[in-house]
Amino acid sequence: MEVIILKDADEVAEGGARRVCALIRQNRNAVLGLATGTTPVAMYGKLISACRIGEISFSEVTTFNLDEYLGLAPDHPQSYRSFMQRQLFEHIDIDTDNTYLPTCRAGTDPETVCRLYEEQIKSVGGIDMQILGIGSNGHIGFNEPMSSLASRTRVKTLSEHTVADNSRLFEPNEYQPSLAITMGVATIMEARRILLLATGPHKARAVREMIEGSVTSRCPASALQLHQRVTVLLDEAAGSELESQGYYKRAHEQNTELLGASNF
Ligand code: PGA
């Protein structure tokens, strides 16, 4: 795992956007795995700017989101489809037909949606780079603690912890779903590279368990220790509980010296 501790959330967004831009410049047909949540929003803002000034184009890019609530229509303002439209897709030159979420429309069998999602990812040759956040309970996607590390795309019940964490995004009397379809841990692990962003002190413990703890379904993000190409971008607060902070900083300085800007 490459662990990079940056000054603040803006540097994390900048570092994330730089890596995504480098991938798209290298491969205009790139397949990106996307995440919702608060963390990637600033990075999406920077990608929108890069697209507006013509630095990158998403016209040939395909995207797969990690997850979607079950029981919300795609045009519901709280659906992750709506979130992605607002935060990214409406502002870039992507073909919406090439943007996928595991959406289960009314009357459709969720298991069929899950199976098809896996097939759709395979049919485009897999995901080149998966963007991830991390839940304060160590989840990735909606793979809650005790999710099988061999799991594939499926329906998951959200933990009380996650429902409480996300309640800030819902009005007091608004319906908040507690079921979702999420890529599994094993689905995520098949991405050729992984870019995980975490900011804020409330992520510090989960970040420590992910990087320095044992590989365990108690912290699904810890499975990433078994992936060959993971970059973790942290702000100081999210990295504050790591034991080996000094080592990560030194390694990053040396890697930057050795590999320079080509190291995305
Ligand atoms: P957040 O969510 O970015 O809103 O903190 C991250 C996650 O739950 O994966």
Side-chain angles (χ1 to χ4, degrees):
M1 245 188 220
E2 183 188 23
V3 179
I4 303 179
I5 304 174
L6 298 161
K7 189 164 57 67
D8 54 26
D10 188 60
E11 283 195 0
V12 170
E14 186 62 41
R18 198 158 45 77
R19 285 164 173 80
V20 174
C21 287
L23 172 78
I24 295 174
R25 274 200 300 271
Q26 205 177 63
N27 175 12
R28 54 204 307 268
N29 297 109
V31 180
L32 272 181
L34 298 177
T36 50
T38 310
T39 313
V41 170
M43 181 184 78
Y44 292 155
K46 291 183 191 289
L47 292 176
I48 292 167
S49 305
C51 187
R52 282 203 177 129
I53 61 171
E55 207 181 290
I56 46 163
S57 168
F58 287 85
S59 60
E60 308 294 325
V61 169
T62 301
T63 66
F64 286 90
N65 265 78
L66 283 168
D67 43 25
E68 176 60 286
Y69 286 123
L70 193 59
L72 293 186
D75 61 355
H76 188 287
Q78 289 284 11
S79 76
Y80 282 167
R81 162 59 73 184
S82 297
F83 177 98
M84 289 310 302
Q85 292 293 136
R86 278 194 307 273
Q87 300 296 346
L88 185 63
F89 299 154
E90 276 170 12
H91 311 285
I92 58 176
D93 59 348
I94 199 160
D95 178 348
T96 318
D97 288 348
N98 296 334
T99 63
Y100 295 87
L101 285 92
T103 303
C104 187
R105 291 168 193 276
T108 314
D109 168 36
E111 276 188 29
T112 307
V113 172
C114 297
R115 193 172 36 75
L116 276 177
Y117 206 58
E118 293 272 341
E119 283 171 13
Q120 281 162 335
I121 294 171
K122 280 206 181 76
S123 75
V124 298
I127 291 173
D128 291 306
M129 182 186 280
Q130 176 67 54
I131 312 294
L132 292 178
I134 180 171
S136 59
N137 63 354
H139 74 200
I140 46 175
F142 274 131
N143 294 287
E144 301 288 21
M146 267 62 83
S147 288
S148 162
L149 302 186
S151 51
R152 313 293 317 185
T153 303
R154 69 213 182 290
V155 176
K156 276 299 285 185
T157 299
L158 310 192
S159 69
E160 283 178 11
H161 187 113
T162 295
V163 172
D165 264 4
N166 288 353
S167 63
R168 70 187 195 283
L169 306 169
F170 290 79
E171 297 300 326
N173 290 323
E174 198 178 3
Y175 167 68
Q176 185 182 353
S178 60
L179 285 172
I181 293 183
T182 180
M183 282 186 201
V185 178
T187 319
I188 293 170
M189 292 288 284
E190 281 172 8
R192 283 184 273 284
R193 56 198 310 165
I194 289 179
L195 180 61
L196 185 142
L197 316 181
T199 56
H202 58 301
K203 298 294 174 72
R205 190 162 155 236
V207 163
R208 187 190 65 209
E209 283 174 14
M210 162 177 73
I211 298 171
E212 296 177 341
S214 313
V215 175
T216 167
S217 61
R218 283 186 184 277
C219 175
S222 66
L224 300 176
Q225 292 176 28
L226 302 175
H227 192 286
Q228 281 191 324
R229 296 189 81 187
V230 179
T231 300
V232 179
L233 299 181
L234 305 172
D235 67 356
E236 296 269 357
S240 61
E241 289 195 27
L242 289 167
E243 271 176 31
S244 303
Q245 285 174 54
Y247 174 77
Y248 306 132
K249 285 186 180 160
R250 260 198 349 275
H252 178 53
E253 279 161 20
Q254 288 187 330
N255 284 342
T256 309
E257 231 170 76
L258 285 170
L259 303 167
S262 71
N263 177 30
F264 73 90

